Amino acid sequence: MKLSDFKEGALGGVPIALGYLSVSFAYGIMAAGGGIDPLSAVLISMTNLTSAGQLAGTQLIIDGATYFQIAVTTLVINLRYMLMSLSLSQRIDPKMSTGERLLVSYGITDEIFAVAYQREKAPNTPYMLGLISLPYVGWTLGTLLGATAGNILPERLCSALGIAIYGMFVAIVIPQCRKSHPCLVVVAVAAALSCLLKYVPVLSSVPTGWAIIICTVAASVLGAVLYPEEVDEV
Amino acid sequence: MSRYVFTATMVMAVVTYLVRMTPITLMRGRLKSRFFRSVLAYAPYAVLSAMTIPHILDSTASPLSALVGLIAAVALAMMKRGLLTVAVGASAAVFVAELFLIH
């Protein structure tokens, strides 16, 4: 294992780890608030390592949803990783073995993907392991702290931190909407549908998990029909 | 930890891992269907939008303070701030708003 590549990766992971620490702290508070015990919350973070996906999944667990609903929601929300994994497969060291690919793919997140993709040299296994290591620790530790110490924090602070994870979503969506008009349309349609499914009497009986799937699929398909050529790089 | 929570966690973990692992391990070419590529490209933003709006309003002690946080997050994101700054900024805005809204 080349240490220099590992080090370079680990260095790139520091800001990601700090961001994850605070967001997973908010996740831990949210999970504990919904009655999930700290050990379960940490296990979810360690085995999932996703923000939006595990947040939605945890909400469904709290609501007592079926395994099928949980599986489909997780699939839909995390579908983007498929694209990132695909892009990364064109970019990584082609000599990477199947075993190494199986290992490294565990750590593909929005931020890790973005940093790895922007590396000048083709990312190899030591680099990827370095890049993943600190964010993984940050994500796990933040969850543990949020789920255990979250309830000794003043109520005001918990309330304020509750919005942190959504703030991160806004930070991912807005720049893309500024760059791309089609994306703005898709995002607006998804938000409007989501409001309809939450507030219109009959429609609001659709469980949250399905509502998110319906909004996502409808808005994305609409985007693909209206603006199929606009997206070539993601 | 209940059996339900554990099983649900494993379901989430397996689905997530398969999604991440399959393309990088198996696929070597580009997706041929432009339509499917487009749907996949829009899906992450659609899902984040549907998750945030309107549920962000339930994420704090009051919908009004959450609205202030949302506006702060959008403003910071428009100013091209990073994920961490936007998340912390939104939290700070909520905290300040609740000093006035909740006594």
Side-chain angles (χ1 to χ4, degrees), chain A residues 65 85 102 108 178 194 198, chain B residues 4 17 20 53 58 78 98:
Chain A
S85 177
L102 289 175
I108 298 174
R178 287 186 57 147
S194 180
K198 168 130 180 174
Chain B
Y4 168 69
Y17 180 62
R20 285 170 165 154
I53 312 289
D58 301 328
M78 293 291 283
E98 290 186 355

Side-chain angles (χ1 to χ4, degrees), chain A residues 22 40 48-49 64-65 74 78 80 85 101-102 106 108 111 156 159-160 167 178 182 187 194 198 220 227-229, chain B residues 1 4 12 16-17 19-20 24 34 37-38 42-44 49-50 53-54 58 61 78 83-84 86 91 98 102:
Chain A
S22 54
S40 299
N48 281 261
L49 192 66
T74 308
N78 290 336
R80 66 185 189 282
S85 177
R101 284 167 199 251
L102 289 175
Y106 191 80
I108 298 174
E111 295 77 17
R156 279 184 196 285
S159 171
R178 287 186 57 147
V187 163
S194 180
K198 168 130 180 174
S220 309
Y227 316 102
E229 284 170 86
Chain B
M1 186 185 314
Y4 168 69
M12 287 159 64
T16 305
Y17 180 62
V19 165
R20 285 170 165 154
I24 203 170
R34 197 176 62 182
R37 272 208 319 264
S38 301
Y42 288 126
S49 173
I53 312 289
D58 301 328
M78 293 291 283
L83 301 191
L84 183 57
V86 175
S91 292
E98 290 186 355
I102 298 169

Side-chain angles (χ1 to χ4, degrees), chain B residues 9-31:
Chain B
T9 302
M10 289 303 118
V11 167
M12 287 159 64
V14 168
V15 170
T16 305
Y17 180 62
L18 287 178
V19 165
R20 285 170 165 154
M21 176 275 284
T22 316
I24 203 170
T25 310
L26 300 179
M27 291 169 79
R28 303 285 161 143
R30 227 171 126 63
L31 275 169

Side-chain angles (χ1 to χ4, degrees), chain A residues 23-34 36 38 41 45 142-148 150:
Chain A
V23 170
S24 65
F25 187 83
Y27 166 75
I29 292 176
M30 172 266 175
I36 308 272
S45 283
T143 305
L144 180 67
L145 292 174
T148 52

Side-chain angles (χ1 to χ4, degrees), chain A:
Chain A
M1 188 146 125
K2 285 180 236 153
L3 192 63
S4 57
D5 281 326
F6 183 86
K7 261 190 185 164
E8 189 195 332
L11 224 56
V14 170
I16 305 177
L18 288 175
Y20 281 6
L21 194 66
S22 54
V23 170
S24 65
F25 187 83
Y27 166 75
I29 292 176
M30 172 266 175
I36 308 272
D37 66 284
L39 187 66
S40 299
V42 168
L43 188 69
I44 292 174
S45 283
M46 291 183 77
T47 55
N48 281 261
L49 192 66
T50 69
S51 54
Q54 78 179 55
L55 181 76
T58 304
Q59 257 161 10
L60 288 175
I61 291 175
I62 292 167
D63 294 342
T66 64
Y67 296 132
F68 182 66
Q69 277 179 336
I70 292 170
V72 175
T73 305
T74 308
L75 177 69
V76 171
I77 295 182
N78 290 336
L79 219 48
R80 66 185 189 282
Y81 293 136
M82 222 170 214
L83 220 69
M84 294 177 191
S85 177
L86 190 64
S87 309
L88 219 47
S89 75
Q90 317 289 312
R91 191 104 183 94
I92 52 167
D93 182 0
K95 291 195 294 277
M96 222 187 252
S97 71
T98 303
E100 288 170 330
R101 284 167 199 251
L102 289 175
L103 181 66
V104 157
S105 60
Y106 191 80
I108 298 174
T109 68
D110 305 283
E111 295 77 17
I112 288 167
F113 163 77
V115 171
Y117 200 81
Q118 285 158 13
R119 192 195 191 206
E120 247 172 75
K121 278 197 284 176
N124 55 7
T125 306
Y127 173 81
M128 288 303 294
L129 291 179
L131 183 62
I132 292 165
S133 57
L134 292 177
Y136 188 73
V137 172
W139 190 247
T140 305
L141 194 65
T143 305
L144 180 67
L145 292 174
T148 52
N151 47 19
I152 60 164
L153 284 182
E155 221 169 285
R156 279 184 196 285
L157 210 53
C158 283
S159 171
L161 282 170
I163 206 170
I165 203 160
Y166 292 104
M168 208 178 76
F169 296 162
V170 170
I172 294 173
V173 170
I174 296 285
Q176 195 66 24
C177 289
R178 287 186 57 147
K179 266 200 306 205
S180 143
H181 176 70
C183 189
L184 179 63
V185 172
V186 168
V187 163
V189 168
L193 286 176
S194 180
C195 287
L196 285 180
L197 285 169
K198 168 130 180 174
Y199 296 120
V200 174
V202 180
L203 298 177
S204 63
S205 60
V206 177
T208 311
W210 289 118
I212 290 172
I213 294 168
I214 292 166
C215 297
T216 304
V217 173
S220 309
V221 167
L222 182 78
V225 170
L226 292 178
Y227 316 102
E229 284 170 86
E230 306 277 339
V231 280
D232 232 21
E233 40 32 281
V234 166

